[in-house]
Amino acid sequence: MASTATAPPASGGIAPTRRTKRPAGGGLGRYILVRALLIIPTVFILVTIVFVAMRATGDPITAALGDRLTAAQLQERIHAAGYDRPIIVQYLEYLGQVFTGDFGTTISDNRPVLEVLLTYGTATLELVFYSLIVAFIVGIPLGMVAAYFRDRGQDALLRVFAILCYATPVFFAGMLLKLVFAVWLKWLPVAGRASTSAELQMQLLPNPTGLYTVDAIRTGNPEVLADVLQHAVLPSIALGLLTAGVFLRLVRTNVIGTLATDYVDAARSRGVSELRLVRKHAYRPALIPIITVIGLQIALLLGGAVLTETTFEWKGLGFQLAEYLQARDFVAVQGIVVLLAVIVAITNFIVDILAALIDPRVRY
């Protein structure tokens, strides 16, 4: 009986290997999990840095009340607050309080820090939101215009404008805007979040949100809404231009890079106009880097909010942070800085997820 022969592999060939198909969404799932887990050490490190930095100058009781109490009263307050214990004991207790949502009580006005955060955090959130709108409206269209007029006069002027936007100190831009539009032209209010009459109407609402735009809409009075928006214009422009300059340069660079790709050259060879190429073909790919840097810009806006809120007396976390720094209330400063750090960490996490959904290359 003839034996059955097994056909040898082709001469010089390589035996085919079977590829295991990666489960759909597996890369994205791991990416989200890793980014979520990274929030914990990030916040932990920031909390530790803030704690050590605040304690480096001594205990907060002495810093805030040292010139108003006798030595005996001072030691009594320090002992009651536990600041005479070993630093490691204070640190572990502080960690336990922070991770349970207890940020302590302010020294200067004896208020729970969490109450301060909830009361003034909405104002900062509203200011950052408006500033991002200004940054998008100014930065993205002007970046496209600069790319369209590349290496011409318009492009040079817009690049200088971008440099001025992110190089000019926020407080100086704010004072300049106040001088021109509030003092000289008298078009807009000088400071505050709303006029006294508008604030009184919003305070009469049941369960006010603290977001003046939302509360103004809830009053049903168009004049109140107009008053709130007018007060938001100058601080939003002052803070928004800081980020608009970054967006302008980023969009310009990426649109120019996209215009040099093969598929754009193919469209250009078919007779598509340069303006249409910028608007239709190069616009969306240039937005991907914008999304990836939003997290960093949120941190920049929160930092700039301290000076902006102080300049315009916009009573948010930045304004309160400046007040507590002057009062040397380290407990309040710690709570505000930790909250801002948490906001930045969570914002970066959300931005990372959006970037992964838009551009799958960032998952690997």
Side-chain angles (χ1 to χ4, degrees), residues 85-284:
R85 295 176 297 170
I87 190 70
I88 186 64
V89 176
Q90 298 182 45
Y91 174 67
L92 293 175
E93 182 180 352
Y94 178 68
L95 281 182
Q97 291 176 344
V98 168
F99 285 104
T100 56
D102 181 10
F103 294 92
T105 304
T106 62
I107 299 173
S108 55
D109 51 8
N110 198 32
R111 298 174 61 187
V113 175
L114 187 60
E115 177 186 326
V116 175
L117 300 178
L118 294 175
T119 302
Y120 297 101
T122 51
T124 300
L125 178 64
E126 198 168 32
L127 177 59
V128 170
F129 175 75
Y130 283 136
S131 301
L132 274 177
I133 292 178
V134 171
F136 283 128
I137 291 176
V138 175
I140 293 177
L142 292 184
M144 295 174 62
V145 172
Y148 179 72
F149 293 103
R150 178 185 180 184
D151 297 332
R152 284 183 271 180
Q154 298 92 327
D155 179 29
L157 289 175
L158 289 174
R159 279 186 286 171
V160 171
F161 172 73
I163 294 173
L164 290 175
C165 284
Y166 59 73
T168 303
V170 177
F171 68 90
F172 178 78
M175 290 189 293
L176 189 62
L177 289 171
K178 287 172 64 174
L179 180 64
V180 174
F181 295 100
V183 178
W184 291 350
L185 299 177
K186 301 186 184 301
W187 288 353
L188 295 168
V190 176
R193 295 182 64 195
S195 62
T196 304
S197 59
E199 286 186 341
L200 289 175
Q201 292 189 51
M202 289 185 288
Q203 289 174 0
L204 295 176
L205 292 171
N207 302 318
T209 63
L211 298 169
Y212 274 21
T213 306
V214 176
D215 290 339
I217 294 174
R218 290 177 59 196
T219 63
N221 188 342
E223 294 182 358
V224 174
L225 179 60
D227 181 84
V228 169
L229 294 178
Q230 287 174 0
H231 280 80
V233 170
L234 292 183
S236 300
I237 292 176
L239 186 56
L241 288 178
L242 182 68
T243 301
V246 178
F247 285 176
L248 193 158
R249 296 293 298 267
L250 196 59
V251 169
R252 175 189 178 274
T253 301
N254 285 278
V255 168
I256 290 174
T258 306
L259 289 175
T261 56
D262 293 338
Y263 76 91
V264 173
D265 287 338
R268 189 180 288 117
S269 66
R270 293 195 302 269
V272 179
S273 67
E274 200 71 18
L275 180 60
R276 182 175 177 82
L277 287 174
V278 172
R279 292 174 51 209
K280 299 296 183 181
H281 295 272
Y283 170 58
R284 291 185 180 179

